[in-house]
Coordinates of all heavy atoms in Angstrom, one line a residue:
G150 N 226.9 14.8 -137.3 CA 228.2 14.2 -137.1 C 228.3 12.7 -137.5 O 227.7 12.4 -138.6
W151 N 228.9 11.9 -136.7 CA 229.0 10.5 -137.1 C 227.7 9.7 -137.2 O 227.6 8.8 -137.9 CB 230.0 9.8 -136.1 CG 229.6 9.7 -134.7 CD1 229.8 10.6 -133.7 CD2 228.8 8.6 -134.2 NE1 229.2 10.2 -132.5 CE2 228.6 9.0 -132.8 CE3 228.3 7.4 -134.7 CZ2 227.9 8.1 -131.9 CZ3 227.6 6.6 -133.8 CH2 227.4 6.9 -132.5
V152 N 226.7 10.1 -136.3 CA 225.4 9.4 -136.4 C 224.8 9.6 -137.7 O 224.3 8.7 -138.3 CB 224.5 10.0 -135.2 CG1 223.1 9.3 -135.3 CG2 225.2 9.7 -133.9
E153 N 224.8 10.9 -138.2 CA 224.3 11.2 -139.5 C 225.0 10.5 -140.6 O 224.4 9.9 -141.5 CB 224.3 12.7 -139.8 CG 223.7 13.1 -141.1 CD 223.8 14.5 -141.4 OE1 224.6 15.2 -140.7 OE2 223.1 15.1 -142.3
A154 N 226.3 10.4 -140.5 CA 227.2 9.8 -141.5 C 226.8 8.3 -141.7 O 226.6 7.8 -142.8 CB 228.7 10.0 -141.2
I155 N 226.7 7.6 -140.5 CA 226.4 6.2 -140.6 C 225.0 5.9 -141.1 O 224.8 5.1 -142.0 CB 226.6 5.6 -139.2 CG1 228.0 5.6 -138.8 CG2 226.1 4.1 -139.2 CD1 228.3 5.1 -137.4
L156 N 224.0 6.7 -140.6 CA 222.6 6.4 -141.0 C 222.4 6.8 -142.5 O 221.7 6.0 -143.2 CB 221.7 7.2 -140.1 CG 221.7 6.8 -138.6 CD1 220.7 7.7 -137.8 CD2 221.1 5.3 -138.5
M157 N 223.0 7.8 -142.9 CA 222.8 8.2 -144.3 C 223.5 7.3 -145.3 O 223.1 7.1 -146.4 CB 223.2 9.7 -144.5 CG 222.2 10.7 -143.9 SD 220.6 10.6 -144.6 CE 219.7 9.7 -143.3
R158 N 224.7 6.8 -144.9 CA 225.4 5.8 -145.7 C 224.5 4.5 -145.8 O 224.5 3.9 -146.9 CB 226.8 5.6 -145.2 CG 227.7 6.7 -145.2 CD 227.9 7.4 -146.5 NE 226.8 8.2 -147.0 CZ 226.6 9.5 -146.5 NH1 227.3 10.0 -145.6 NH2 225.6 10.1 -147.1
V159 N 223.9 4.1 -144.7 CA 223.1 2.9 -144.8 C 221.9 3.2 -145.7 O 221.5 2.3 -146.6 CB 222.6 2.5 -143.4 CG1 221.6 1.4 -143.5 CG2 223.8 2.1 -142.6
T160 N 221.3 4.4 -145.6 CA 220.2 4.8 -146.5 C 220.6 4.8 -147.9 O 219.9 4.3 -148.8 CB 219.7 6.2 -146.1 OG1 219.3 6.2 -144.7 CG2 218.5 6.6 -146.9
D161 N 221.8 5.4 -148.2 CA 222.3 5.4 -149.6 C 222.4 4.0 -150.2 O 222.2 3.7 -151.3 CB 223.6 6.1 -149.7 CG 223.4 7.6 -149.4 OD1 222.2 8.1 -149.5 OD2 224.4 8.3 -149.0
L162 N 222.9 3.1 -149.3 CA 223.1 1.7 -149.7 C 221.8 1.0 -150.1 O 221.7 0.4 -151.2 CB 223.8 0.9 -148.6 CG 224.0 -0.6 -148.8 CD1 225.0 -0.8 -150.0 CD2 224.5 -1.3 -147.6
F163 N 220.7 1.2 -149.4 CA 219.4 0.7 -149.8 C 218.9 1.4 -151.0 O 218.2 0.7 -151.8 CB 218.4 0.9 -148.6 CG 218.5 -0.1 -147.5 CD1 219.3 0.0 -146.5 CD2 217.7 -1.3 -147.6 CE1 219.4 -0.9 -145.4 CE2 217.8 -2.2 -146.7 CZ 218.7 -2.1 -145.6
I164 N 219.2 2.6 -151.2 CA 218.7 3.4 -152.4 C 219.4 2.9 -153.7 O 218.8 2.8 -154.7 CB 218.9 4.9 -152.2 CG1 218.0 5.4 -151.2 CG2 218.6 5.6 -153.5 CD1 218.1 6.9 -150.8
V165 N 220.7 2.6 -153.5 CA 221.5 2.2 -154.8 C 221.0 0.9 -155.3 O 220.9 0.7 -156.5 CB 223.0 2.1 -154.4 CG1 223.8 1.4 -155.5 CG2 223.6 3.6 -154.2
I166 N 220.8 -0.1 -154.4 CA 220.3 -1.4 -154.9 C 218.9 -1.3 -155.4 O 218.0 -0.8 -154.8 CB 220.4 -2.5 -153.8 CG1 221.8 -2.5 -153.3 CG2 219.9 -3.8 -154.3 CD1 222.0 -3.4 -152.1
P167 N 218.6 -1.8 -156.7 CA 217.2 -1.7 -157.2 C 216.2 -2.3 -156.3 O 216.4 -3.4 -155.7 CB 217.3 -2.5 -158.6 CG 218.8 -2.4 -158.9 CD 219.5 -2.4 -157.6
L168 N 215.1 -1.6 -156.1 CA 214.1 -2.0 -155.1 C 213.4 -3.4 -155.5 O 213.2 -4.2 -154.6 CB 213.0 -0.9 -155.0 CG 211.8 -1.2 -154.1 CD1 212.2 -1.5 -152.7 CD2 210.7 -0.1 -154.2
L169 N 213.1 -3.5 -156.8 CA 212.5 -4.8 -157.2 C 213.3 -6.0 -157.0 O 212.9 -7.1 -156.6 CB 212.0 -4.7 -158.6 CG 211.1 -5.8 -159.2 CD1 209.8 -5.9 -158.3 CD2 210.8 -5.6 -160.6
V170 N 214.6 -5.8 -157.2 CA 215.6 -6.9 -157.0 C 215.6 -7.3 -155.5 O 215.5 -8.5 -155.2 CB 217.0 -6.5 -157.5 CG1 218.0 -7.6 -157.2 CG2 217.0 -6.3 -159.0
M171 N 215.8 -6.3 -154.7 CA 215.8 -6.6 -153.2 C 214.5 -7.2 -152.8 O 214.4 -8.1 -151.9 CB 216.2 -5.4 -152.4 CG 217.6 -4.9 -152.7 SD 218.0 -3.5 -151.5 CE 217.9 -4.3 -149.9
A172 N 213.4 -6.6 -153.3 CA 212.1 -7.1 -152.9 C 211.9 -8.6 -153.3 O 211.3 -9.4 -152.6 CB 211.0 -6.2 -153.5
A173 N 212.4 -8.9 -154.5 CA 212.3 -10.3 -154.9 C 213.1 -11.3 -154.0 O 212.6 -12.3 -153.7 CB 212.8 -10.4 -156.4
V174 N 214.3 -10.8 -153.6 CA 215.1 -11.6 -152.7 C 214.4 -11.8 -151.4 O 214.3 -12.9 -150.8 CB 216.5 -11.0 -152.5 CG1 217.2 -11.8 -151.5 CG2 217.2 -11.0 -153.8
F175 N 213.8 -10.7 -150.8 CA 213.1 -10.8 -149.6 C 211.8 -11.6 -149.7 O 211.4 -12.2 -148.7 CB 212.9 -9.3 -149.0 CG 214.1 -8.7 -148.4 CD1 215.4 -9.1 -148.7 CD2 213.9 -7.8 -147.4 CE1 216.5 -8.5 -148.1 CE2 215.0 -7.2 -146.8 CZ 216.3 -7.5 -147.2
G176 N 211.2 -11.4 -150.8 CA 209.9 -12.2 -151.0 C 210.2 -13.6 -151.1 O 209.4 -14.5 -150.5
K177 N 211.4 -14.0 -151.6 CA 211.8 -15.4 -151.7 C 212.0 -15.9 -150.2 O 211.6 -17.0 -149.8 CB 213.0 -15.6 -152.5 CG 213.3 -17.0 -152.9 CD 212.4 -17.5 -154.0 CE 212.8 -18.9 -154.5 NZ 211.9 -19.5 -155.5
M178 N 212.7 -15.1 -149.4 CA 213.0 -15.4 -148.0 C 211.7 -15.6 -147.2 O 211.6 -16.4 -146.3 CB 213.8 -14.4 -147.4 CG 215.2 -14.3 -148.0 SD 216.1 -12.8 -147.4 CE 216.0 -13.0 -145.6
A179 N 210.6 -14.8 -147.6 CA 209.4 -14.8 -146.8 C 208.6 -16.1 -147.0 O 207.7 -16.5 -146.2 CB 208.5 -13.7 -147.2
G180 N 209.0 -16.8 -148.1 CA 208.3 -18.1 -148.4 C 206.8 -18.1 -148.7 O 206.2 -19.0 -148.5
G181 N 206.3 -16.9 -149.1 CA 204.9 -16.8 -149.4 C 204.0 -16.4 -148.3 O 202.9 -16.2 -148.4
G182 N 204.7 -16.3 -147.1 CA 203.8 -15.9 -145.9 C 203.5 -14.4 -145.9 O 204.3 -13.6 -146.4
I183 N 202.3 -14.1 -145.6 CA 201.8 -12.7 -145.7 C 202.5 -11.8 -144.8 O 203.0 -10.6 -145.1 CB 200.3 -12.6 -145.5 CG1 199.7 -11.3 -145.9 CG2 199.9 -12.9 -144.1 CD1 199.8 -11.1 -147.4
W184 N 202.7 -12.2 -143.4 CA 203.3 -11.3 -142.5 C 204.8 -11.2 -142.6 O 205.4 -10.1 -142.5 CB 202.9 -11.7 -141.0 CG 201.5 -11.5 -140.7 CD1 200.5 -12.5 -140.6 CD2 200.8 -10.3 -140.6 NE1 199.3 -12.0 -140.4 CE2 199.5 -10.6 -140.3 CE3 201.2 -9.0 -140.6 CZ2 198.5 -9.7 -140.1 CZ3 200.3 -8.0 -140.4 CH2 198.9 -8.4 -140.1
P185 N 205.5 -12.3 -142.9 CA 207.0 -12.1 -143.2 C 207.2 -11.3 -144.4 O 208.1 -10.4 -144.4 CB 207.5 -13.6 -143.4 CG 206.5 -14.4 -142.7 CD 205.2 -13.7 -142.8
L186 N 206.4 -11.4 -145.4 CA 206.6 -10.5 -146.6 C 206.4 -9.0 -146.3 O 207.1 -8.2 -146.7 CB 205.6 -11.0 -147.7 CG 205.6 -10.1 -149.0 CD1 206.9 -10.3 -149.7 CD2 204.4 -10.5 -149.9
A187 N 205.4 -8.8 -145.5 CA 205.1 -7.3 -145.1 C 206.3 -6.8 -144.3 O 206.7 -5.7 -144.5 CB 203.8 -7.3 -144.3
F188 N 206.7 -7.5 -143.3 CA 207.9 -7.1 -142.4 C 209.2 -6.9 -143.3 O 209.9 -5.9 -143.1 CB 208.1 -8.0 -141.3 CG 207.1 -8.0 -140.2 CD1 206.4 -9.1 -139.9 CD2 206.7 -6.8 -139.6 CE1 205.4 -9.1 -138.9 CE2 205.8 -6.8 -138.7 CZ 205.1 -7.9 -138.3
L189 N 209.4 -7.8 -144.2 CA 210.6 -7.7 -145.0 C 210.6 -6.5 -146.0 O 211.6 -5.8 -146.2 CB 210.9 -9.0 -145.7 CG 211.4 -10.2 -144.9 CD1 211.4 -11.5 -145.6 CD2 212.7 -9.9 -144.2
L190 N 209.4 -6.3 -146.6 CA 209.2 -5.2 -147.5 C 209.4 -3.8 -146.7 O 209.8 -2.8 -147.3 CB 207.9 -5.3 -148.2 CG 207.7 -6.3 -149.2 CD1 206.3 -6.3 -149.9 CD2 208.8 -6.2 -150.3
S191 N 209.0 -3.8 -145.4 CA 209.2 -2.6 -144.6 C 210.6 -2.2 -144.5 O 210.9 -1.0 -144.4 CB 208.5 -2.8 -143.2 OG 207.2 -3.2 -143.3
V192 N 211.5 -3.1 -144.5 CA 212.9 -2.8 -144.4 C 213.5 -2.1 -145.7 O 214.5 -1.5 -145.6 CB 213.7 -4.1 -144.2 CG1 215.2 -3.8 -144.0 CG2 213.2 -4.8 -142.9
L193 N 212.7 -2.2 -146.8 CA 213.2 -1.7 -148.1 C 212.6 -0.3 -148.4 O 213.2 0.4 -149.2 CB 212.8 -2.7 -149.2 CG 213.3 -4.1 -149.0 CD1 212.8 -4.9 -150.2 CD2 214.9 -4.1 -149.0
T194 N 211.5 0.1 -147.9 CA 210.7 1.2 -148.4 C 210.7 2.5 -147.5 O 209.8 3.3 -147.7 CB 209.3 0.8 -148.7 OG1 208.7 0.2 -147.5 CG2 209.2 -0.3 -149.8
W195 N 211.7 2.6 -146.6 CA 211.7 3.7 -145.6 C 212.6 4.8 -146.1 O 212.7 5.8 -145.5 CB 212.1 3.2 -144.3 CG 213.4 2.4 -144.2 CD1 213.5 1.1 -144.4 CD2 214.7 3.0 -144.2 NE1 214.9 0.8 -144.4 CE2 215.6 1.9 -144.2 CE3 215.2 4.2 -144.0 CZ2 217.0 2.0 -144.1 CZ3 216.6 4.4 -143.9 CH2 217.5 3.4 -143.9
T196 N 213.5 4.5 -147.1 CA 214.6 5.5 -147.4 C 214.2 6.8 -147.8 O 214.7 7.8 -147.4 CB 215.5 4.8 -148.5 OG1 214.7 4.5 -149.6 CG2 216.1 3.6 -148.0
G197 N 213.1 6.9 -148.7 CA 212.7 8.2 -149.2 C 212.2 9.1 -148.0 O 212.6 10.3 -147.9
L198 N 211.4 8.5 -147.1 CA 210.9 9.3 -146.0 C 212.1 9.7 -145.1 O 212.1 10.8 -144.5 CB 209.9 8.5 -145.2 CG 209.3 9.2 -143.9 CD1 208.7 10.5 -144.3 CD2 208.4 8.2 -143.2
A199 N 213.1 8.9 -144.9 CA 214.2 9.2 -144.0 C 214.9 10.4 -144.5 O 215.3 11.3 -143.7 CB 215.1 8.0 -143.9
R200 N 215.1 10.5 -145.8 CA 215.8 11.7 -146.3 C 215.0 13.0 -146.2 O 215.4 14.1 -145.9 CB 216.2 11.5 -147.8 CG 217.2 10.4 -148.0 CD 217.4 10.0 -149.5 NE 218.1 11.1 -150.1 CZ 219.4 11.2 -150.2 NH1 220.2 10.2 -149.7 NH2 220.1 12.2 -150.8
L201 N 213.6 12.8 -146.3 CA 212.7 14.0 -146.2 C 212.7 14.5 -144.8 O 212.8 15.7 -144.5 CB 211.3 13.6 -146.6 CG 211.1 13.4 -148.2 CD1 209.7 12.9 -148.4 CD2 211.3 14.7 -148.9
V202 N 212.6 13.5 -143.8 CA 212.5 13.9 -142.4 C 213.8 14.5 -142.0 O 213.9 15.5 -141.2 CB 212.2 12.7 -141.5 CG1 212.3 13.0 -140.0 CG2 210.7 12.2 -141.8
R203 N 215.0 13.9 -142.4 CA 216.3 14.5 -142.1 C 216.4 16.0 -142.5 O 216.8 16.8 -141.8 CB 217.4 13.7 -142.7 CG 218.8 14.3 -142.7 CD 219.8 13.5 -143.4 NE 221.0 14.2 -143.6 CZ 221.3 15.0 -144.6 NH1 220.4 15.1 -145.6 NH2 222.5 15.6 -144.7
G204 N 216.0 16.3 -143.7 CA 216.0 17.7 -144.2 C 215.1 18.6 -143.3 O 215.5 19.7 -143.0
E205 N 213.9 18.1 -143.0 CA 213.0 18.9 -142.1 C 213.7 19.1 -140.8 O 213.6 20.2 -140.2 CB 211.7 18.2 -142.0 CG 210.9 18.1 -143.2 CD 210.2 19.4 -143.5 OE1 210.0 20.2 -142.7 OE2 209.8 19.6 -144.7
V206 N 214.3 18.1 -140.2 CA 214.8 18.2 -138.8 C 216.1 19.1 -138.8 O 216.3 19.9 -137.9 CB 215.2 16.8 -138.2 CG1 215.9 16.9 -137.0 CG2 213.9 16.0 -138.1
L207 N 216.9 19.0 -139.9 CA 218.0 19.9 -140.0 C 217.6 21.4 -140.0 O 218.3 22.2 -139.4 CB 218.8 19.6 -141.3 CG 219.7 18.3 -141.3 CD1 220.2 18.1 -142.7 CD2 220.8 18.5 -140.3
S208 N 216.5 21.7 -140.6 CA 216.0 23.0 -140.6 C 215.4 23.5 -139.2 O 215.7 24.5 -138.7 CB 214.9 23.2 -141.7 OG 214.3 24.5 -141.6
L209 N 214.6 22.5 -138.6 CA 213.9 22.8 -137.4 C 214.8 22.9 -136.2 O 214.6 23.7 -135.3 CB 212.8 21.8 -137.1 CG 211.7 21.8 -138.1 CD1 210.7 20.6 -137.9 CD2 210.8 23.1 -137.8
R210 N 215.9 22.2 -136.2 CA 216.8 22.2 -135.0 C 217.5 23.5 -134.8 O 218.1 23.7 -133.8 CB 217.8 21.1 -135.1 CG 218.9 21.3 -136.1 CD 219.9 20.1 -136.1 NE 220.4 19.6 -134.8 CZ 221.4 20.1 -134.2 NH1 222.1 21.2 -134.7 NH2 221.8 19.7 -133.0
E211 N 217.5 24.4 -135.9 CA 218.1 25.7 -135.8 C 217.2 26.7 -135.3 O 217.6 27.9 -135.1 CB 218.7 26.1 -137.1 CG 219.7 25.1 -137.7 CD 220.9 24.9 -136.8 OE1 221.3 25.8 -136.1 OE2 221.4 23.7 -136.8
R212 N 215.9 26.4 -135.1 CA 214.9 27.3 -134.6 C 215.1 27.7 -133.2 O 215.6 27.0 -132.4 CB 213.5 26.8 -134.9 CG 213.2 26.4 -136.3 CD 213.0 27.6 -137.2 NE 212.7 27.3 -138.6 CZ 211.4 27.1 -139.0 NH1 210.4 27.2 -138.1 NH2 211.2 26.8 -140.2
E213 N 214.5 28.9 -132.8 CA 214.6 29.4 -131.5 C 213.9 28.5 -130.4 O 214.5 28.3 -129.3 CB 213.9 30.7 -131.4 CG 214.7 31.9 -132.1 CD 214.4 31.8 -133.6 OE1 213.6 31.0 -134.0 OE2 215.0 32.7 -134.3
F214 N 212.8 27.8 -130.8 CA 212.2 27.0 -129.7 C 213.0 25.8 -129.4 O 213.0 25.3 -128.3 CB 210.8 26.6 -130.2 CG 210.8 25.6 -131.4 CD1 210.8 24.2 -131.2 CD2 210.7 26.1 -132.7 CE1 210.7 23.4 -132.2 CE2 210.6 25.2 -133.7 CZ 210.7 23.9 -133.5
V215 N 213.8 25.3 -130.3 CA 214.8 24.2 -130.0 C 215.9 24.7 -129.1 O 216.3 24.0 -128.1 CB 215.3 23.5 -131.3 CG1 216.3 22.4 -130.9 CG2 214.1 22.9 -132.1
A216 N 216.4 25.8 -129.4 CA 217.5 26.4 -128.6 C 217.0 26.7 -127.2 O 217.7 26.5 -126.2 CB 218.0 27.7 -129.2
A217 N 215.8 27.2 -127.0 CA 215.2 27.4 -125.7 C 215.0 26.1 -125.0 O 215.3 26.1 -123.8 CB 213.9 28.1 -125.9
A218 N 214.6 25.1 -125.6 CA 214.4 23.8 -125.0 C 215.7 23.2 -124.5 O 215.8 22.7 -123.4 CB 213.7 22.8 -125.9
E219 N 216.8 23.4 -125.3 CA 218.1 22.9 -124.9 C 218.6 23.7 -123.8 O 219.3 23.2 -122.8 CB 219.1 23.0 -126.1 CG 218.7 22.0 -127.2 CD 219.6 22.2 -128.4 OE1 220.2 23.3 -128.6 OE2 219.7 21.2 -129.3
A220 N 218.3 25.0 -123.7 CA 218.9 25.9 -122.7 C 218.3 25.6 -121.3 O 219.0 25.7 -120.3 CB 218.5 27.4 -123.0
I221 N 217.1 25.0 -121.2 CA 216.5 24.7 -120.0 C 216.8 23.2 -119.6 O 216.2 22.7 -118.6 CB 215.0 25.0 -119.9 CG1 214.3 24.1 -121.0 CG2 214.8 26.5 -120.1 CD1 212.8 24.3 -120.9
G222 N 217.6 22.6 -120.4 CA 218.0 21.2 -120.0 C 217.0 20.1 -120.5 O 217.1 19.0 -119.9
T223 N 216.2 20.4 -121.5 CA 215.3 19.3 -122.0 C 216.1 18.2 -122.7 O 217.1 18.5 -123.4 CB 214.3 19.9 -123.0 OG1 213.6 21.0 -122.4 CG2 213.3 18.9 -123.4
S224 N 215.8 17.0 -122.5 CA 216.5 15.9 -123.0 C 216.4 15.9 -124.5 O 215.4 16.4 -125.1 CB 216.0 14.6 -122.4 OG 214.6 14.3 -122.8
S225 N 217.3 15.2 -125.2 CA 217.3 15.2 -126.6 C 216.1 14.4 -127.1 O 215.5 14.8 -128.1 CB 218.6 14.5 -127.2 OG 219.7 15.3 -126.8
S226 N 215.7 13.3 -126.5 CA 214.6 12.5 -127.0 C 213.3 13.3 -126.8 O 212.4 13.2 -127.8 CB 214.5 11.2 -126.1 OG 214.3 11.5 -124.7
R227 N 213.2 14.1 -125.8 CA 212.0 14.9 -125.7 C 211.9 16.0 -126.7 O 210.8 16.3 -127.3 CB 211.9 15.5 -124.3 CG 210.6 16.3 -124.0 CD 210.5 16.8 -122.6 NE 209.2 17.5 -122.4 CZ 208.0 17.0 -122.2 NH1 207.9 15.6 -122.2 NH2 206.9 17.7 -122.0
I228 N 213.0 16.6 -127.0 CA 213.1 17.6 -128.1 C 212.7 17.1 -129.4 O 211.9 17.7 -130.2 CB 214.5 18.3 -128.1 CG1 214.8 19.1 -126.8 CG2 214.6 19.2 -129.3 CD1 216.2 19.6 -126.8
I229 N 213.2 15.8 -129.7 CA 212.9 15.3 -131.0 C 211.4 14.9 -131.1 O 210.8 15.2 -132.1 CB 213.8 14.0 -131.2 CG1 215.2 14.4 -131.3 CG2 213.3 13.2 -132.4 CD1 216.2 13.2 -131.4
F230 N 210.9 14.2 -130.1 CA 209.6 13.7 -130.2 C 208.5 14.6 -129.8 O 207.3 14.5 -130.2 CB 209.4 12.4 -129.4 CG 210.2 11.2 -129.9 CD1 211.4 10.9 -129.3 CD2 209.8 10.5 -131.0 CE1 212.2 9.8 -129.8 CE2 210.6 9.5 -131.5 CZ 211.8 9.1 -130.9
K231 N 208.7 15.6 -128.9 CA 207.7 16.5 -128.5 C 207.8 17.9 -129.2 O 206.7 18.6 -129.2 CB 207.9 16.7 -127.0 CG 207.6 15.5 -126.1 CD 206.2 15.1 -126.2 CE 205.9 13.9 -125.2 NZ 204.5 13.4 -125.3
H232 N 208.9 18.3 -129.8 CA 209.1 19.6 -130.3 C 209.3 19.6 -131.8 O 208.8 20.4 -132.5 CB 210.2 20.4 -129.6 CG 209.9 20.6 -128.1 ND1 209.0 21.5 -127.7 CD2 210.4 19.9 -127.0 CE1 209.0 21.5 -126.4 NE2 209.8 20.5 -125.9
I233 N 210.2 18.7 -132.3 CA 210.6 18.7 -133.7 C 209.6 17.8 -134.6 O 209.1 18.4 -135.6 CB 212.0 18.2 -133.9 CG1 213.0 19.2 -133.2 CG2 212.4 18.1 -135.3 CD1 214.4 18.8 -133.3
L234 N 209.4 16.6 -134.2 CA 208.6 15.7 -135.1 C 207.2 16.2 -135.3 O 206.6 16.0 -136.4 CB 208.6 14.3 -134.5 CG 209.9 13.5 -134.7 CD1 209.8 12.1 -134.3 CD2 210.3 13.5 -136.2
P235 N 206.5 16.7 -134.3 CA 205.2 17.3 -134.5 C 205.1 18.3 -135.6 O 204.1 18.5 -136.3 CB 204.7 17.8 -133.2 CG 205.5 17.1 -132.2 CD 206.8 16.8 -132.8
N236 N 206.2 19.0 -135.8 CA 206.3 20.0 -136.9 C 206.5 19.4 -138.2 O 206.6 20.2 -139.3 CB 207.3 21.1 -136.6 CG 206.9 22.0 -135.4 OD1 206.1 22.9 -135.6 ND2 207.4 21.7 -134.2
T237 N 206.8 18.2 -138.3 CA 207.0 17.5 -139.6 C 205.9 16.5 -139.9 O 206.0 15.7 -140.8 CB 208.4 16.7 -139.6 OG1 208.3 15.6 -138.6 CG2 209.5 17.6 -139.2
I238 N 204.8 16.6 -139.2 CA 203.8 15.6 -139.3 C 203.1 15.6 -140.7 O 202.7 14.5 -141.2 CB 202.7 15.8 -138.2 CG1 201.7 14.6 -138.1 CG2 201.9 17.1 -138.5 CD1 202.4 13.4 -137.7
G239 N 203.1 16.8 -141.3 CA 202.5 16.9 -142.7 C 203.3 16.0 -143.7 O 202.7 15.2 -144.4
T240 N 204.6 16.2 -143.7 CA 205.5 15.4 -144.6 C 205.4 13.9 -144.3 O 205.3 13.1 -145.2 CB 207.0 15.8 -144.3 OG1 207.1 17.2 -144.6 CG2 207.9 15.0 -145.2
I241 N 205.3 13.5 -143.0 CA 205.3 12.1 -142.6 C 204.0 11.5 -143.1 O 204.0 10.4 -143.7 CB 205.4 12.0 -141.1 CG1 206.8 12.4 -140.7 CG2 205.2 10.6 -140.7 CD1 207.0 12.5 -139.2
I242 N 202.8 12.1 -142.9 CA 201.6 11.5 -143.3 C 201.4 11.4 -144.8 O 201.0 10.4 -145.3 CB 200.4 12.4 -142.6 CG1 200.4 12.3 -141.1 CG2 199.1 12.0 -143.2 CD1 199.3 13.1 -140.5
V243 N 201.8 12.5 -145.5 CA 201.7 12.4 -146.9 C 202.6 11.3 -147.5 O 202.2 10.5 -148.3 CB 202.1 13.7 -147.6 CG1 202.2 13.6 -149.1 CG2 201.1 14.8 -147.2
S244 N 203.8 11.2 -146.9 CA 204.7 10.1 -147.4 C 204.2 8.7 -147.0 O 204.4 7.8 -147.8 CB 206.1 10.3 -146.7 OG 207.0 9.3 -147.1
A245 N 203.5 8.6 -145.9 CA 202.9 7.3 -145.6 C 201.9 6.9 -146.5 O 201.8 5.7 -146.9 CB 202.3 7.4 -144.1

Side-chain angles (χ1 to χ4, degrees):
W151 64 269
V152 175
E153 180 185 18
I155 293 175
L156 293 177
M157 287 299 100
R158 296 302 75 77
V159 173
T160 303
D161 293 339
L162 179 63
F163 277 91
I164 292 175
V165 167
I166 302 175
L168 176 60
L169 188 58
V170 174
M171 292 187 66
V174 174
F175 280 27
K177 194 76 172 178
M178 294 169 54
I183 192 73
W184 292 108
L186 178 64
F188 287 124
L189 290 173
L190 290 182
S191 302
V192 179
L193 303 176
T194 53
W195 54 269
T196 54
L198 177 59
R200 296 174 71 91
L201 289 174
V202 172
R203 170 183 168 271
E205 294 280 344
V206 173
L207 283 173
S208 174
L209 290 170
R210 76 182 307 275
E211 305 300 330
R212 300 287 183 86
E213 291 80 2
F214 67 90
V215 174
E219 291 175 342
I221 62 175
T223 306
S224 64
S225 298
S226 60
R227 184 174 180 82
I228 292 174
I229 293 173
F230 291 103
K231 295 292 185 180
H232 298 284
I233 294 181
L234 285 183
N236 288 284
T237 66
I238 193 67
T240 300
I241 294 171
I242 291 179
V243 172
S244 180

